[in-house]
Amino acid sequence: MVRYADPGALEWVESGGGPLIAVPETVLPFWAGADGEETASDYDRACEVDGVVGLLPVGDSAALVLGDEPASTAYLPEHGAFVRWCAANSEDELLSGVPAALATADWENEVRWEVPGAVVLFDSAWPGSETGRTDCLKVPLQPGSYAVRAANVQPGPETWLGLVQLRRLG
């Protein structure tokens, strides 16, 4: 059994201050980030997402914006969830609270996300074509529809985390 805090067992993605975004790998070249010649860049559109999660059109698909705050984020495939590090004394402490947090979370309204396959999580300020030069995480998702729900949870007195759970729809 792999423990989350084992070296290399879990990758965290950080932002320079704006939202993180999960863009389907097939449409990465269409995400311009903070670059672009239009008055509102893709990054500006991501910053305008109101709430913990939201969807933005990218190419012929949609990207999932992880809004609210620019917390370090990892993906836990066994829970089908992004976990966002808001406050904790250690990675072990944060991640040990995930199962209870999933069970007791007060979830916000779900959004439906159509995914063509794997997505890449990264700082929304970066162009999709430049993800090789920044922190990013490839998340291998099966093509299809997903219900996405989010919550902020306090599983311990000094531990706060955000959850964004993806549930594949039949």
Side-chain angles (χ1 to χ4, degrees):
M1 172 187 262
V2 174
R3 290 182 51 244
Y4 292 115
D6 284 345
L10 195 60
E11 294 179 60
W12 294 91
V13 175
E14 296 188 357
S15 153
L20 293 174
I21 190 163
V23 178
E25 195 171 39
T26 59
V27 296
L28 272 176
F30 297 104
W31 182 260
D35 295 345
E37 299 173 20
E38 298 182 26
T39 54
S41 68
D42 286 342
Y43 174 73
D44 292 330
R45 292 188 312 132
C47 289
E48 290 173 3
V49 167
D50 187 27
V52 181
V53 295
L55 299 174
L56 287 178
V58 179
D60 62 356
S61 192
L64 178 67
V65 178
L66 305 183
D68 195 25
E69 64 176 76
S72 297
T73 302
Y75 184 72
L76 306 177
E78 67 276 20
H79 297 295
F82 292 102
V83 61
R84 311 197 72 205
W85 188 326
C86 300
N89 291 319
S90 69
E91 184 180 74
D92 273 337
E93 180 180 294
L94 179 85
L95 295 172
S96 67
V98 169
L102 286 164
T104 61
D106 184 15
W107 299 101
E108 295 190 8
N109 291 335
E110 290 184 345
V111 297
R112 184 181 176 132
W113 187 25
E114 297 293 329
V115 178
V119 300
V120 180
L121 179 72
F122 59 99
D123 184 335
S124 60
W126 282 86
S129 60
E130 300 288 322
T131 56
R133 296 180 43 213
T134 186
D135 283 347
C136 68
L137 175 65
K138 183 175 177 178
V139 179
L141 297 177
Q142 294 297 314
S145 297
Y146 288 81
V148 181
R149 62 186 186 169
N152 288 315
V153 186
Q154 183 180 354
E158 296 183 17
T159 305
W160 292 270
L161 57 94
L163 295 169
V164 178
Q165 189 173 44
L166 312 176
R167 182 174 38 91
R168 186 134 190 253
L169 300 173

